[in-house]
Amino acid sequence: MTEKLPYGTNLPADVVSGDATAVPAETIAVVTGGARGIGRYLSEAFASAGYHVVVTATSADKAEKAAAEIVDSTGGAATGYGLRADDIDSVSSFREAVIALEADTDRRHQVLVNNAGRIESTEGPLWEADPESIKGVVDANVLGVALMINALAPVLITNAEAAGRPSRIIDLNSGSGAQGTRAYAVYSASKASLFRLADSVVHFGHDKGLRIFEMAPGVVETEMTKSMPVHDFRGEGDWTSPEQVTDLALALASGTLDAFTGRYVRAGTDNEESLLAEVGAGFGKSTRRILLG
């Protein structure tokens, strides 16, 4: 007889925010899609903070070029790898490359930023969307994240135990995932799915030293966002700044906001200080989560 599994995840109530436990000088941080856009800002910020950053792009040449530029601009450490996060063989090879880098650098991989993603090529009803675009969004935003967690969570768990401090996953989520954007139905659905992946990571990984956060970057002015008609109204001052995104991501990676594991935060609205105040005021199990029924 198979035991009936309970629905839902009770998030841990014993996590206290406030103390940074990460040691950047001993840590490898992987940023998928880190060669351009928001990923590039994140890669540069993590390198500047002392992490050895692994920058990925679908082209190895682009990833390696970006890593070299990041080293030049920050004085930090960065390595570029080609990766197709929605391809099983590519992810498996990447995992081995990260393990080899650990040996070469004498650092542990303890931060994974699932940044790479896509959005539909057009706005409007689902039935008017290009089928290939639909598939690309699901492959990048759902399958890619699932495969990365599947491959790298065992490494993160092993390293959390060895270091005696948690490893952390930051998913680049979206307000479209939390509230929905009707003109981008597949993108919204793909980002909402990350909440369910995070629930599972918390349920099975928290006691093993894993923390995971759903971080929306707000709306940063990038090549992708500027191409979206939904943002045509935005002018100067209507965008989330890169610094607001990177500051929040670094705070999540540091451990000061571990009470938000399995929960949603948004750059431009939230920052480390405001989130610490929210923890101090107390919040319930449903706060900053998607719950239906």
Side-chain angles (χ1 to χ4, degrees):
M1 180 180 293
T2 301
E3 180 181 358
K4 184 178 179 181
L5 293 174
Y7 287 107
T9 299
N10 291 322
L11 296 187
D14 59 342
V15 182
V16 178
S17 290
D19 296 326
T21 60
V23 182
E26 299 177 3
T27 305
I28 292 171
V30 171
V31 182
T32 65
R36 61 191 183 96
I38 294 173
R40 180 62 173 263
Y41 292 126
L42 289 166
S43 295
E44 291 174 347
F46 274 92
S48 295
Y51 293 86
H52 188 120
V53 178
V54 173
V55 180
T56 82
T58 54
S59 161
D61 288 343
K62 290 180 180 178
E64 291 166 3
K65 180 176 183 292
E69 292 171 350
I70 289 167
V71 170
D72 287 343
S73 65
T74 67
T79 304
Y81 290 114
L83 170 69
R84 291 199 60 88
D86 59 353
D87 181 87
I88 294 171
D89 291 338
S90 180
V91 172
S92 178
S93 296
F94 178 74
R95 177 181 183 274
E96 296 309 310
V98 170
I99 292 172
L101 184 64
E102 288 185 321
D104 291 342
T105 62
D106 196 29
R107 298 190 186 211
R108 295 186 177 95
H109 171 40
Q110 285 203 266
V111 176
L112 168 61
V113 183
N114 286 312
N115 164 77
R118 292 180 60 179
I119 194 166
E120 290 99 307
S121 56
T122 57
E123 293 181 354
L126 179 58
W127 52 89
E128 292 180 3
D130 175 20
E132 286 297 328
S133 178
I134 291 173
K135 182 178 184 302
V137 171
V138 175
D139 285 350
N141 298 2
V142 184
L143 180 59
V145 173
L147 289 179
M148 290 298 289
I149 294 174
N150 173 260
L152 292 177
V155 179
L156 295 167
I157 289 169
T158 296
N159 288 337
E161 181 179 5
R165 54 180 178 268
S167 293
R168 298 176 178 96
I169 300 170
I170 302 172
D171 292 335
L172 266 286
N173 208 302
S174 171
S176 295
Q179 298 180 334
T181 300
R182 295 173 181 85
Y184 295 101
V186 180
Y187 178 77
S188 296
S190 71
K191 292 300 185 179
S193 76
L194 297 184
F195 286 89
R196 296 298 175 243
L197 297 182
D199 280 347
S200 183
V201 170
V202 172
H203 183 77
F204 292 105
H206 184 267
D207 291 343
K208 300 178 184 298
L210 271 185
R211 307 291 181 263
I212 186 167
F213 311 96
E214 300 304 303
M215 185 187 85
V219 185
V220 179
E221 189 174 11
T222 65
E223 181 180 336
M224 184 183 82
T225 54
K226 287 192 294 184
S227 71
M228 297 165 59
V230 73
H231 297 308
D232 284 348
F233 74 93
R234 294 183 186 276
E236 187 176 353
D238 292 327
W239 303 90
T240 309
S241 73
E243 293 75 21
Q244 288 173 310
V245 179
T246 57
D247 286 352
L248 184 55
L250 288 171
L252 292 171
S254 76
T256 62
L257 299 174
D258 274 359
F260 285 86
T261 186
R263 303 178 192 266
Y264 173 81
V265 297
R266 182 180 174 88
T269 300
D270 301 318
N271 56 45
E272 184 177 20
E273 182 179 353
S274 69
L275 291 173
L276 288 172
E278 187 172 336
V279 174
F283 52 62
K285 293 180 178 179
S286 63
T287 302
R288 294 175 175 267
R289 300 176 64 200
I290 291 182
L291 299 175
L292 299 175

